Amino acid sequence: MAYDPENIFAKILRGEIPCNKVYEDDYALSFHDINPQAPIHVLVIPKGAYVSMDDFSAKASDAEMVGFIKAVGNTARELGLSDPGYRILANHGPDSHQEVPHLHIHIFGG
């Protein structure tokens, strides 16, 4: 699947659509999901144009990979989820019901 630069997450990264930001650094942006499935439901997206974890793991630089994984942890800590715990999920492709063709990690807490 080719990356679509007009997907909603690409538009959020470009500042064309607002988000309720939790965390941002050079590699990633995290924000509250607009349709939460848990009391705390945040998405973490890399700033690069990657469709899925498969695409990301094949093409991202080592710095992007480390930065993205650190951003997931930093986001969870920012939300106070380290002690009570949380769940992470990444969907890949149509059989998983991936809705947006931009890699994203869901963090669920509460």
Side-chain angles (χ1 to χ4, degrees), residues 8-87:
I8 191 169
F9 294 166
K11 290 179 179 183
I12 288 171
L13 285 170
R14 292 192 301 264
E16 296 169 9
I17 295 175
C19 70
N20 185 1
K21 181 169 53 172
V22 174
Y23 176 84
E24 183 174 18
D25 63 21
D26 291 342
Y27 300 102
L29 171 68
S30 64
F31 51 91
H32 290 274
D33 194 297
I34 61 169
N35 185 26
Q37 305 298 307
I40 298 171
H41 184 176
V42 170
L43 303 174
V44 185
I45 62 174
K47 289 192 171 177
Y50 301 103
V51 174
S52 64
M53 186 59 78
D54 182 64
D55 186 29
F56 184 72
S57 65
K59 299 176 184 170
S61 70
D62 289 350
E64 287 175 300
M65 288 185 200
V66 170
F68 183 61
I69 296 302
K70 284 186 162 200
V72 171
N74 289 338
T75 298
R77 283 187 291 281
E78 185 72 26
L79 294 165
L81 295 175
S82 294
D83 287 335
Y86 57 95
R87 181 169 59 110

